[in-house]
């Protein structure tokens, strides 16, 4: 199963992505996580990406596109993948489609998590990252996934904030890119929605209301995946 997961930063994509990963036993590939991992290991890629990430800008396509296409060729992607954070603009969408077609691979499902901008912003600022596992969601502004005594609610690990999550200008910049229907992320998502229209509903499009609580969104997601 090959799945693209769209949603503005703060919509709960990471949290729900963990559910999808579990259901299909596929790797959850998050571009932002790959970049942050490189930054913390001090790699050349990390050094190059850091400035863009701190400002909330996209890392150039010349770096990001080959990095992701390469990741999709790894062994653990043989039975499918869940891409989260890619494509993030129209160029990336076209290049992904082109590369997949060349290898005879189809996108099966596109998930569109819909959330108003202001709500997404509040959630971003409350987000906390578990140092042990990126799939341990914690958020001080969301009751269902509040940390316990300041520690990860799942494993008790230390929690960190992302510097780009506490910078309002960087958040606004990321959302400007996401909600841009001309060349930004929504343009990239619409590219795949158009493909679906032309191709008898393949990929299948799943629209999710991101406003309810975590459990409600998960229930809606699972029922739509099974429909
Ligand atoms: P995220 O964790 O998805 O919020 O991503 C954090 C940052 O990583 C973004 O603000 C961008 O600077 C960078 N990034 C993530 N995905 C992409 C992408 N597909 N293309 C370019 N930059 C990206």
């Amino acid at each position: 199963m090959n799945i693209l997961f769209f949603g503005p930063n703060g919509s709960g994509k990471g949290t729900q992505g963990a559910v999808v990963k579990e259901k299909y036993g596929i790797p959850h590939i998050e571009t932002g996580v790959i970049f942050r991992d490189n930054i913390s290991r001090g790699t050349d890629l990390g050094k190059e990406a850091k400035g863009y990430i701190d400002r909330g800008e996209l890392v150039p396509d010349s770096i990001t596109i080959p990095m992701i296409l390469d990741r999709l060729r790894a062994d653990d992607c043989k039975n499918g993948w869940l891409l989260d954070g890619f494509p993030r603009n129209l160029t990336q969408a076209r290049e992904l489609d082109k590369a997949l077609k060349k290898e005879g691979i189809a996108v099966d499902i596109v998930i569109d998590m819909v959330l108003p901008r202001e709500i997404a912003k509040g959630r971003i600022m409350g987000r906390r990252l578990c140092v042990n596992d990126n799939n341990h969601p914690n958020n001080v502004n969301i009751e269902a996934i509040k940390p316990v005594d300041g520690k990860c609610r799942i494993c008790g690990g230390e929690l960190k904030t992302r510097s780009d999550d506490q910078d309002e200008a960087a958040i606004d910049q990321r959302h400007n890119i996401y909600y841009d229907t001309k060349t930004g992320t929504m343009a990239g998502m619409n590219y795949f929605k158009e493909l679906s229209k032309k191709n008898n509903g393949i990929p299948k499009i799943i629209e999710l209301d991101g406003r309810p609580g975590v459990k409600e969104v998960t229930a809606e997601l699972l029922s739509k995946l099974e429909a």
Side-chain angles (χ1 to χ4, degrees):
M1 194 64 82
N2 302 320
I3 304 175
L4 301 181
F5 206 145
F6 290 96
N9 308 92
S11 60
K13 245 182 324 143
T15 309
Q16 302 300 337
V19 174
V20 177
K21 166 192 158 125
E22 186 83 4
K23 178 173 169 65
Y24 295 107
I26 51 179
H28 184 188
I29 302 168
E30 296 170 89
T31 350
V33 171
I34 299 177
F35 285 132
R36 282 189 290 283
D37 176 52
N38 275 276
I39 291 172
S40 63
R41 288 188 291 117
T43 67
D44 288 346
L45 173 65
K47 283 180 194 140
E48 220 169 334
K50 188 171 185 318
Y52 298 100
I53 292 178
D54 286 345
R55 291 188 297 274
E57 293 167 10
L58 291 187
V59 177
D61 287 344
S62 56
I63 299 174
T64 309
I65 295 174
M67 176 184 92
I68 289 298
L69 295 182
D70 202 45
R71 176 67 186 86
L72 294 181
R73 285 186 205 104
D75 271 354
D76 65 338
C77 291
K78 292 270 182 289
N79 294 322
W81 33 259
L82 168 65
L83 259 185
D84 171 347
F86 189 95
R88 201 95 154 207
N89 61 27
L90 186 55
T91 308
Q92 293 181 4
R94 288 190 176 130
E95 289 298 317
L96 175 66
D97 184 39
K98 199 164 95 190
L100 293 177
K101 280 195 175 124
K102 213 164 145 192
E103 307 204 12
I105 298 171
V107 174
D108 300 298
I109 299 174
V110 171
I111 302 171
D112 173 11
M113 181 89 114
V114 182
L115 192 70
R117 201 168 162 147
E118 275 314 303
I119 301 180
K121 189 168 173 176
R123 291 196 188 165
I124 289 180
M125 299 190 88
R127 185 153 69 182
R128 299 293 178 270
L129 298 188
C130 172
V131 296
N132 297 330
D133 190 331
N134 193 59
N135 278 316
H136 286 177
N138 289 267
N139 194 308
V140 297
N141 290 337
I142 301 177
E143 207 47 52
I145 55 169
K146 259 199 175 147
V148 176
D149 297 330
K151 298 273 188 336
C152 173
R153 43 181 266 283
I154 295 174
C155 71
E158 293 296 323
L159 295 175
K160 286 198 309 195
T161 53
R162 281 169 49 177
S163 56
D164 58 341
D165 279 355
Q166 303 304 314
D167 176 343
E168 286 203 50
I171 294 171
D172 289 340
Q173 172 67 14
R174 278 144 76 196
H175 281 157
N176 287 343
I177 295 168
Y178 185 81
Y179 291 100
D180 173 359
T181 52
K182 284 215 169 74
T183 58
T185 311
M186 289 191 81
M189 174 169 61
N190 290 338
Y191 177 88
F192 282 94
K193 286 189 172 179
E194 285 303 314
L195 276 188
S196 172
K197 277 190 202 149
K198 286 186 213 143
N199 196 27
N200 293 324
I202 300 170
K204 172 174 168 170
I205 308 293
I206 293 182
E207 287 184 2
L208 276 184
D209 180 359
R211 286 171 304 176
V214 175
K215 283 198 185 115
E216 288 83 356
V217 178
T218 301
E220 190 190 353
L221 171 60
L222 290 174
S223 83
K224 288 186 169 171
L225 284 172
E226 277 148 26

